[in-house]
Amino acid sequence: MSLFSGFEIGRKALAAHQAVLDTVGHNLANVATRGYARQRAELVAVAPRNGVEVAQIRRLRDRFLDVQLIQEGGGLGRAQAQVNLLQRLESIFTEDPEAGLGATLSRFFRAFQDLSVHPTDPALRVTVKEAGAQVAATFRDLRGGLDVLKADLVTEIESRVSAANGLVTEIAELNRRIVAARGGGLEPSDLLDRRDLLVAQLSEIAGVAASDNENGSVRVTIAGTGVRLLDGDLVSTLTVALDGSTNTVRLQVDDEVVAPQSGALAALVGARNSPTGPISQAASDLDALARSIIDEVNRLHASGAGLTGHATLTAANAVSSSTVALTAAGLPSSPLTGAFRIVVHDSAGSVASTVDVSVTAGVTTLEDVRSAIDADPNLTATISAGILTVSAASGMTYAFASDTSDTLLALGLNTFFTGTDALTIGESPLVAGDVAKIAAARVDSTGLVHRGDGENALALARLRTKPTLRGGTATFVDFLGTLVSRVGSEARDATQALDRQEAAVELVENLQQQTSGVSTDEELLTLTQAQHAYAAAARYISTLNDVIDSLFQITR
Amino acid sequence: MTAALDTLSDALAAESRHLAALLELLEEEGQVLRRGEAVSLAAITDRKEAWIRDRAALEDTRRQALSLVARALHIDLSAVTLTDLARREPAQAGRLLARRDELRRLTSRLSALVQHNGFLIERSLRYFRGFVSSLVGAVAHPATYTASGRHDVQAAAVGLIDRRG
């Protein structure tokens, strides 16, 4: 071995050594870097007796666990979005003991209870009017909150789609740089770390699957669909569109419609589109509750009488045609076979005339009803734009009674509420304009209305405890309680699912950390051990020189 | 005289075998140094320590054999060399010179290897010391003093903790 080659071997050994230590330093510097995989300098002997050099700086990472992380990340993104959504939904239904729907309904029915005892008290009538307005406003607020939440989902979906496209572009750029580096014989460990991190983040949004290409780039698809988001540096664009005909949002990759099965977008799009999703279900239940209250209150109120009779009254609901059966005339509810009565009173309150209007379901038209009413000489009934108006002769008033056909309810005559659901519920102009028209009394068997009668108000108050919903098994409050607790329970279930998903991700991350994580203790321990080994070896240099010197003596 | 030379020749033969073992060890050490395998280096150092311990007995045997020869020739112990012995005892010259050449070859090779490995060890060690002191300087917590005037060592603040812990 020549002197030069000896030093060349030594130079290579030191350079290799320096690379090993530099790698230790790089690992330590990135101990807190998310997604960093520790690196190890791998040394190889240079062909025969020519020293050593660094073959590669190897990145310690388990690809199988990477695939699992991407998969679990999609589940995590979905669970997080689900929890966030349900917590917002829960906050809408959080019952305020004073202003919540339950409290408002209680006040409303209690006001009728009080009115039933003192039906002529104007203050109690105002209380009923205000309580009714509060019920309607609370329903509209809750329902409006659900609509806002649904609208917010679109904004959130758009924001996530934009973030996903940003990640796709960045991953494609990393793909390009990784391929270039590999082509140059380099191992771009830090670029690979960054790309793995971004693919995991993309999966949290869109639930993706990634596969390695031979040149070092990755191909990313929407998991479970095979729809390509990017391949090498070729990128597709994820877009979101609102389909007006179905009122649903649609995700597309280029021109292909896609439905992510995991990731935040799966949860958000599902919640926005599904008719059985938590928001749609809550809205549907709220509508059902509002509709039931509207119908039950209006049915009783329509057959009752106020402190003063009607001189003229116009129906709230229009028919599509006055000559088709009421059941097919587009009314919010269908009349049944039955009858209702109108009693006309003179200025002294005595009965002037009575008209009984018979209704046959599927047969009777609005024109038939008008004609029957108009037959009474003290009443005039007209139809304008499908809306019935009934007027009493001059100096006379009239009251409705005993509607067994639900025709007054369907037409919106003498009703307390207007509207058909939680979004449209309102107090009728009749009640809002004159509290004396609140029907606390009933026309008695002789046709008279007594000022002190609170029988109808009592019947209205008793609606509170009447099981009218879910096939006659649940009161309004029961139904509301079930709705609120279901929302809360769904939020709790989602939180538990998120906890489980976080635990699953943490497990895989921990496994990956065992391979990839930097342990400063271990890195420093390795350094210290190495330093001790070299220090110990150094101590023998002079000892061995002494041994050799002692032999020189006799070999002269 | 022949008996003394036989004893010396046997001692030197044993010593040659022992040196040849060291030669193998140093060649192995050279490879370990080139690969930067600190753990293997520590194991080789342990083997060198054992080699040094065995060495003491062999040196005693050689010294006793040389003393016998020096007394037989009435010369000072420090003046005994194998070249001189071969000249004084021509009948034994072949055997003695073969021993001398073998020892010369081994010591020359050993000297080169010790120098070469020593160079790598010293340079690596120097680099290590610099690296470790740079690291310690970078992560060490600045000295603080408590109200009592004592140095307050905050182990947790040093920062070099295993994040997996």
Side-chain angles (χ1 to χ4, degrees):
Chain A
M1 181 191 295
S2 71
L3 186 64
F4 176 78
S5 67
F7 277 108
E8 179 60 14
I9 291 171
R11 188 191 64 75
K12 280 180 182 167
L14 285 172
H17 225 79
Q18 201 160 333
V20 171
L21 293 182
D22 285 349
T23 307
V24 170
H26 190 58
N27 284 343
L28 287 170
N30 285 286
V31 69
T33 303
R34 193 177 167 215
Y36 177 80
R38 80 183 144 99
Q39 299 171 11
R40 190 168 66 199
E42 295 200 331
L43 306 180
V44 289
V46 179
R49 304 176 66 82
N50 239 338
V52 67
E53 64 186 17
V54 176
Q56 63 169 341
I57 306 293
R58 196 159 81 87
R59 175 170 171 265
L60 298 174
R61 200 157 177 99
D62 187 325
R63 287 306 284 169
F64 173 70
L65 292 174
D66 274 343
V67 170
Q68 270 196 302
L69 261 183
I70 291 168
Q71 193 179 329
E72 298 293 352
L76 181 65
R78 183 186 185 129
Q80 280 170 335
Q82 192 80 9
V83 165
N84 188 271
L85 174 73
L86 287 168
Q87 283 177 342
R88 279 189 282 169
L89 183 62
E90 194 182 17
S91 73
I92 291 174
F93 281 97
T94 300
E95 269 289 292
D96 183 326
E98 287 298 318
L101 183 57
T104 308
L105 282 173
S106 293
R107 271 202 302 278
F108 176 62
F109 291 114
R110 200 166 51 241
F112 270 118
Q113 176 87 37
D114 294 344
L115 185 64
S116 72
V117 180
H118 304 288
T120 56
D121 186 336
L124 293 178
R125 287 183 169 268
V126 169
T127 303
V128 169
K129 183 190 90 162
E130 288 178 351
Q134 191 62 44
V135 166
T138 308
F139 266 117
R140 288 195 305 270
D141 281 353
L142 286 173
R143 190 64 170 74
L146 294 178
D147 284 353
V148 167
L149 183 54
K150 229 170 178 181
D152 284 352
L153 282 182
V154 178
T155 310
E156 191 167 347
I157 290 167
E158 285 169 345
S159 157
R160 300 286 184 129
V161 163
S162 169
N165 284 331
L167 287 169
V168 166
T169 306
E170 204 175 337
I171 293 166
E173 171 60 16
L174 284 167
N175 267 346
R176 195 188 59 71
R177 290 168 63 189
I178 287 164
V179 170
R182 285 256 172 95
L186 300 171
E187 182 61 12
S189 301
D190 294 341
L191 297 181
L192 292 166
D193 284 350
R194 174 83 185 142
R195 189 181 64 185
D196 285 349
L197 184 67
L198 295 187
V199 171
Q201 285 176 358
L202 181 60
S203 192
E204 285 185 21
I205 296 176
V208 300
S211 55
D212 294 328
N213 292 326
E214 273 187 19
N215 61 3
S217 66
V218 289
R219 173 187 163 88
V220 178
T221 56
I222 301 283
T225 68
V227 176
R228 190 199 69 185
L229 268 178
L230 79 128
D231 192 356
D233 58 358
L234 290 174
V235 299
S236 300
T237 307
L238 189 62
T239 54
V240 56
L242 190 62
D243 185 337
S245 62
T246 57
N247 189 29
T248 55
V249 292
R250 198 176 52 228
L251 288 177
Q252 285 182 207
V253 175
D254 292 338
D255 291 330
E256 197 167 352
V257 176
V258 67
Q261 292 169 8
S262 61
L265 284 175
L268 297 173
V269 172
R272 176 63 182 72
N273 290 349
S274 169
T276 56
I279 302 176
S280 299
Q281 191 64 51
S284 161
D285 282 356
L286 201 60
D287 283 344
L289 178 60
R291 178 62 187 265
S292 180
I293 289 173
I294 291 168
D295 285 353
E296 294 297 327
V297 169
N298 283 352
R299 180 175 289 117
L300 286 173
H301 196 269
S303 291
L307 284 176
T308 57
H310 306 293
T312 185
L313 188 60
T314 299
N317 303 322
V319 293
S320 54
S321 166
S322 60
T323 55
V324 301
L326 288 170
T327 49
L331 291 168
S333 62
S334 287
L336 313 168
T337 297
F340 65 90
R341 172 174 291 180
I342 303 177
V343 181
V344 184
H345 300 103
D346 61 18
S347 56
S350 301
V351 176
S353 60
T354 298
V355 58
D356 287 315
V357 181
S358 294
V359 176
T360 304
V363 175
T364 305
T365 67
L366 186 61
E367 180 53 36
D368 296 337
V369 172
R370 187 205 66 77
S371 172
I373 296 170
D374 207 45
D376 188 305
N378 296 319
L379 292 172
T380 305
T382 58
I383 298 171
S384 172
I387 296 176
L388 177 70
T389 298
V390 180
S391 303
S394 176
M396 294 190 177
T397 59
Y398 66 89
F400 293 102
S402 311
D403 180 11
T404 58
S405 66
D406 279 354
T407 304
L408 300 176
L409 167 69
L411 293 174
L413 273 169
N414 196 31
T415 49
F416 189 94
F417 287 119
T418 57
T420 55
D421 56 27
L423 202 58
T424 56
I425 185 173
E427 205 164 46
S428 74
L430 174 75
V431 171
D434 181 5
V435 293
K437 293 291 189 296
I438 293 174
R442 282 180 179 167
V443 175
D444 73 6
S445 56
T446 63
L448 294 175
V449 175
H450 304 282
R451 284 179 64 81
D453 176 21
E455 195 183 339
N456 205 42
L458 185 61
L460 283 160
R462 283 177 178 160
L463 284 177
R464 185 185 177 205
T465 53
K466 183 184 173 189
T468 53
L469 284 152
R470 246 185 268 122
T473 60
T475 64
F476 301 134
V477 173
D478 291 341
F479 190 84
L480 176 64
T482 305
L483 166 60
V484 171
S485 67
R486 195 193 62 230
V487 168
S489 157
E490 282 174 348
R492 268 194 310 281
D493 289 350
T495 304
Q496 284 168 0
L498 175 61
D499 288 346
R500 285 194 298 275
Q501 193 59 40
E502 280 176 341
V505 170
E506 196 178 332
L507 178 68
V508 182
E509 275 183 347
N510 283 344
L511 287 171
Q512 187 65 280
Q513 276 294 307
Q514 287 172 13
T515 306
S516 305
V518 176
S519 162
T520 51
D521 290 352
E522 283 173 26
E523 298 283 347
L524 285 179
L525 186 63
T526 304
L527 277 183
T528 310
Q529 281 175 337
Q531 191 182 347
H532 286 162
Y534 280 87
R539 281 198 297 275
Y540 282 93
I541 296 169
S542 60
T543 307
L544 293 180
N545 280 333
D546 290 347
V547 168
I548 293 161
D549 284 348
S550 77
L551 284 166
F552 275 138
Q553 163 67 25
I554 61 166
T555 57
R556 280 182 306 197
Chain B
M1 182 59 192
T2 305
L5 286 176
D6 285 346
T7 304
L8 177 61
S9 180
D10 290 347
L12 291 176
E15 215 164 345
S16 288
R17 286 193 296 276
H18 195 234
L19 288 174
L22 177 63
L23 191 63
E24 275 180 29
L25 200 56
L26 290 182
E27 280 174 347
E28 197 179 329
E29 183 184 59
Q31 288 170 11
V32 164
L33 287 169
R34 285 194 287 277
R35 289 196 298 267
E37 292 172 356
V39 176
S40 302
L41 181 63
I44 285 172
T45 305
D46 289 344
R47 284 159 64 196
K48 276 201 281 192
E49 191 178 346
W51 187 90
I52 294 287
R53 279 198 301 272
D54 295 343
R55 170 87 203 146
L58 289 170
E59 281 194 346
D60 273 354
T61 306
R62 187 207 332 148
R63 202 173 298 112
Q64 285 167 14
L66 284 173
S67 295
L68 283 176
V69 171
R71 272 203 301 276
L73 293 174
H74 306 289
I75 57 172
D76 190 70
L77 181 62
S78 62
V80 178
T81 68
L82 291 174
T83 308
D84 182 52
L85 286 178
R87 189 174 48 76
R88 288 172 186 267
E89 297 290 334
Q92 304 291 334
R95 184 166 61 143
L96 291 171
L97 291 177
R99 289 275 173 259
R100 181 198 67 180
D101 293 344
E102 172 67 2
L103 283 172
R104 276 183 179 176
R105 187 186 67 77
L106 286 169
T107 52
S108 167
R109 177 78 188 124
L110 285 172
S111 180
L113 277 178
V114 169
Q115 191 184 356
H116 179 260
N117 291 358
F119 170 78
L120 291 180
I121 289 166
E122 291 292 355
R123 290 292 298 272
S124 299
L125 191 56
R126 207 178 314 146
Y127 189 78
F128 258 119
R129 283 175 178 148
F131 185 80
V132 171
S133 60
S134 303
L135 266 181
V136 170
V139 300
H141 189 69
T144 55
Y145 297 88
T146 60
S148 68
R150 293 181 178 216
H151 181 207
D152 182 20
V153 179
Q154 295 180 16
V158 170
L160 282 179
I161 52 170
D162 185 352
R163 72 173 169 144
R164 293 178 301 172

